[in-house]
Amino acid sequence: KVKAQLEEKEGKTFDVFTAVEFKTQVVAGTNYFIKVHVGNEEFVHLRVFKSLPHENGQLSLHSYQGSKAKHDELAYF
């Protein structure tokens, strides 16, 4: 759901976009921290916010960290 948002921010497309790990944080909605494999040995960490159901439950890319490796810990950011 957020691949297009990341591609727009990065100004490039990703042929590979596979979530390999995630964590959640409950706030006034839910923050998802997702480690995504984007090809070769490259990973990105995404922070995706999902609003509450009564607010349409939309997903939005809040922030991201690029140039990550498979072994990098997925943590709050």
Side-chain angles (χ1 to χ4, degrees):
K1 296 265 182 190
V2 297
K3 180 182 178 190
Q5 294 176 48
L6 179 62
E7 289 175 336
E8 184 178 327
K9 288 179 185 272
E10 282 286 291
K12 62 182 178 181
T13 58
F14 297 102
D15 294 330
V16 177
F17 199 81
T18 307
V20 295
E21 180 183 351
F22 78 96
K23 296 180 179 182
T24 61
Q25 175 191 40
V26 177
V27 290
T30 305
N31 281 323
Y32 293 90
F33 298 92
I34 308 167
K35 183 185 293 187
V36 179
H37 178 230
V38 292
N40 299 320
E41 297 299 316
E42 189 177 347
F43 290 78
V44 295
H45 291 182
L46 307 178
R47 179 176 173 185
V48 177
F49 178 73
K50 182 175 183 181
S51 60
L52 294 170
H54 71 275
E55 297 173 339
N56 297 325
Q58 296 295 316
L59 290 174
S60 62
L61 179 62
H62 182 275
S63 55
Y64 65 96
Q65 298 175 332
S67 301
K68 294 290 187 176
K70 185 175 184 175
H71 66 273
D72 288 339
E73 181 182 353
L74 182 60
Y76 176 89
F77 61 91

